[in-house]
Amino acid sequence: MIANYKSEYSKQLVEHMSKGYTVESFGVLINESKETLSNWLNTNSEFKEAERLGNKQARKWAENQPFSVAIMFYIKNRLPNEYEEIKEIILKKNKVTFNENS
């Protein structure tokens, strides 16, 4: 048995993350440290699966929000491999051009 872990935490984690929140903020909600949550994720397959499902729900939540700078940063931080800012430097004879696409 994992110290302090309750089976209802898995369902609660998915519900929590479906509102755009993180695993870390769930720890605050249940008064557990980041280290404890990390331990649960590494040793409890049920909790790990809840995190996976929660991440999918958090993505769905974020993608359904009206566009704002805050949502843009949220998505770029939560899904860095899929939403990244691209900066391009073009060198032409004695001229440097910077293109920023986000």
Side-chain angles (χ1 to χ4, degrees), residues 62-98:
E63 290 176 346
N64 286 316
Q65 298 303 304
F67 178 79
S68 71
V69 173
I71 290 299
M72 179 183 70
F73 280 108
Y74 176 91
I75 289 174
K76 285 164 72 173
N77 284 313
R78 293 287 303 263
L79 305 164
N81 294 328
E82 297 174 48
Y83 295 91
E84 62 183 309
E85 192 170 320
I86 299 171
K87 295 182 181 183
E88 184 177 59
I89 301 172
I90 301 170
L91 299 173
K92 291 184 180 176
K93 197 175 193 178
N94 298 325
K95 184 178 179 183
V96 176
T97 306
F98 297 93

Side-chain angles (χ1 to χ4, degrees), residues 32-47:
E32 291 292 347
S33 70
K34 186 176 179 179
E35 292 77 18
T36 296
L37 294 175
S38 179
N39 182 43
W40 293 350
L41 289 168
N42 290 326
T43 59
N44 184 309
S45 60
E46 179 184 71
F47 196 68

Side-chain angles (χ1 to χ4, degrees), residues 11-63:
K11 182 179 178 187
Q12 290 173 357
L13 177 63
V14 174
E15 290 173 8
H16 181 75
M17 293 180 76
S18 73
K19 299 172 188 164
Y21 298 120
T22 63
V23 173
E24 290 81 8
S25 66
F26 180 70
V28 173
L29 187 69
I30 63 169
N31 198 32
E32 291 292 347
S33 70
K34 186 176 179 179
E35 292 77 18
T36 296
L37 294 175
S38 179
N39 182 43
W40 293 350
L41 289 168
N42 290 326
T43 59
N44 184 309
S45 60
E46 179 184 71
F47 196 68
K48 182 68 177 170
E49 177 65 9
E51 180 202 32
R52 188 186 70 75
L53 293 172
N55 279 324
K56 289 175 91 172
Q57 292 297 319
R59 178 188 180 139
K60 181 180 174 184
W61 173 88
E63 290 176 346

